Amino acid sequence: MRDRQKITVQGVVQGVGFRPFVYGLASPLGLCGSVRNDITGVVIDVEGDPTCMESFLQALIAEAPLLARIERVRTEKQPLRHYTVFAIEPSKARDDTDVFMVPDVATCAECLREFNRVHDRRYHYPFLNCTSCGPRFTIVSGVPYDRERTTMARFSMCSACQAEYIDPRDRRFHAQPTACPRCGPRLWVADSQGNEIPVDDPCTFIGVRLQQGKIVAVKGLGGYHLSCDALRNDVVQELRRRKQREAKLLAVMVQNLDMARRLCAVSAVEAELLTSARRPIVLLRKRPEYPIAGEVAPQNRDLGVMLPYTPLHHLLLQQTARPLVMTSGDLTEEPIAYQDDDAMRRLAGIADYFLTHDRPIHMHWDDSVTRIVLGKELPVRRSRSYVPLPIRLMIPCTTPILACGAHLKNTFCLVQGTYAFLSQHIGDLEDYRTYRTFVEGIEHFKKLFKIAPQALAYDLHPGYLSSQNALALEELPHIAVQHHHAHIVSCMAENGCEGPVIGVAWDGTGYGNDGRVWGGEFLVASYAAFERLAQLEEVPLPGGVQAIRQPWRMAAVYLHRVYGEEMEELDLDLVHRLDQRGWRVIRQMLVRGVNSPLTSSAGRLFDAIAALIGLRDEMQYEAQAAVELEILANGMRVEAYPFCLHHDGRPMVVETKGIIRGVVDDLLNGGDHGSVRWGGCRDP
Ligand code: ZN
Ligand code: ZN
């Protein structure tokens, strides 16, 4: 008995070692035929014993390569051809065959074993990789994906690497970034000015310096990290001082899962995420006996932890045998440094040493940050190793679209068919370098994913650089999208939800259909349209952006709204702290309605409460007050303050006076003002 089938596998199946995997499955089962890539995915023409074919199909799905993401398998019965061998057919070099979708992947277990095997030719080689792991998206400059179109093009393979590369049975078959100490990239050390220091073993040299409390810029996959000993407070303090990053949390890299468990509580799902091929920074709850320097994540219950994801990281962590701070090598709001000259110029005043190498980074990005909420992953920053895997849409998009995103935490998106290719976190477009990343990133994505947008989506806000960029491309039709509608629809798409939904967008600032500043919105939304069902009560923003930077202004605004002139009689810390002259000016603005745009922002309500309870009067970074309020409230038993819903008109209005009154009453009755932090909750 013999059968023949044509099996088509679709999804992320090209450039991930799928063909050698198929070959490895078919041969031992005595199956004959061939495997090849084509425009639809991977096509397997297979012939042999029906029971063996059955096992083959099961294993195809169950044991697929680490990087593969199978979305569809189609089988068709075929007339017998009486094949006698199983062969891997070379890809046709047609330009339209390969949509590149593979993200960078952490060093696999097999490579790590080689890495630690003393007599292996790649023993402790910081750039080893294989078909299942290593750099991908950060080194790719064009398609189709092959070595000439990566930053590995400058290294020509030695004969040993070449032999592995062309052998279909080898786990480095067509591994484009493959390398060894003889033919691959080289690690080197530089002083704080970028001058090379000749050393025999760069990693040992740097390991010792880190143990001595030095700050080192380390070139990673997507850019430079600044690294230092995470156990020493004085060193971390010095890093913060040099980096001018006084407030934000710093991430820590630890050698393995056991070490992560010594620092933080790690659930099974969190452990899975930490050790996954993506290796994101996972926000974990600190243990009480936690040994990390207080300066790493001050006033926070959580710590951002990640495991090594390149051989270089493994080496560094082995050398230092301690947790290391690993924070992106940039000054406060600039994009991550990734080009060597630029990094050495920008980080010269920060790093004592550079640990770097000669494999260029084509596409730079930060580490992804994620956390588990109620057993499910909730990404905070989707970047390295998540991008460019597309989000699968429920409703196919008939027109290819470029969506330009917002201004402050920009990401853009290219949509074609059922795929939405979301860019990495790009950041604040106000910074010129970040803006360049946005513009160049769009071109890069268009090229890699072969998408020629036929329409442009942009945020309604006329001042956003992303919107202006979209409007400048006059030849294509434009679709304006309201900011909070975009938030809610993104959430629907991510969760495969058909809608319509009641969507709640609690945000800082977004341009409304009426030209006002929205931010606390309840929308009845479908993918195409929405109705503003309800909103938070509007309050004035005295001084516009100044009110966003100084939460004390918002606290005063809310108090003035509720108590009128009598607010000045309240025995509250905030009232005692008020700068009398500044307050007089603001009161004038409020009374006359000058320079005080109205907003329904939830962010401003959070700011007001944060200032009211003495948490923060001035911001050092965007959304700081709200972030700190969340940290404080997280895990506490919180009772609700009264609020009132005016449902006679449209949109309905959620009145917030009761909340303010409740917080003030709790503060007044709570005794010691210095220690009262959260009015509504006295027993955590
Ligand atoms: Zn590997
Ligand atoms: Zn080699």
Side-chain angles (χ1 to χ4, degrees), residues 526-582:
S526 68
Y527 281 98
F530 73 91
E531 185 207 345
R532 193 186 192 194
L533 185 69
Q535 59 167 98
L536 286 188
E537 172 188 10
E538 286 186 326
V539 294
L541 281 171
V545 281
Q546 210 49 34
I548 299 174
R549 293 196 188 116
Q550 298 180 320
W552 69 266
R553 286 184 185 232
M554 291 318 297
V557 165
Y558 272 99
L559 286 181
H560 191 255
R561 243 181 126 66
V562 178
Y563 299 95
E565 296 304 315
E566 281 166 34
M567 68 164 273
E568 291 177 29
E569 311 301 319
L570 293 169
D571 183 20
L572 292 175
D573 266 1
L574 182 101
V575 175
H576 302 317
R577 285 201 306 272
L578 272 186
D579 157 26
Q580 286 306 319
R581 257 190 57 213

Side-chain angles (χ1 to χ4, degrees), residues 177-205:
T178 189
C180 77
R182 262 183 70 195
C183 65
R186 180 183 78 96
L187 201 62
W188 55 283
V189 175
D191 65 15
S192 64
Q193 298 309 310
N195 305 310
E196 181 166 0
I197 304 174
V199 293
D200 288 340
D201 182 349
C203 247
T204 309
F205 178 89

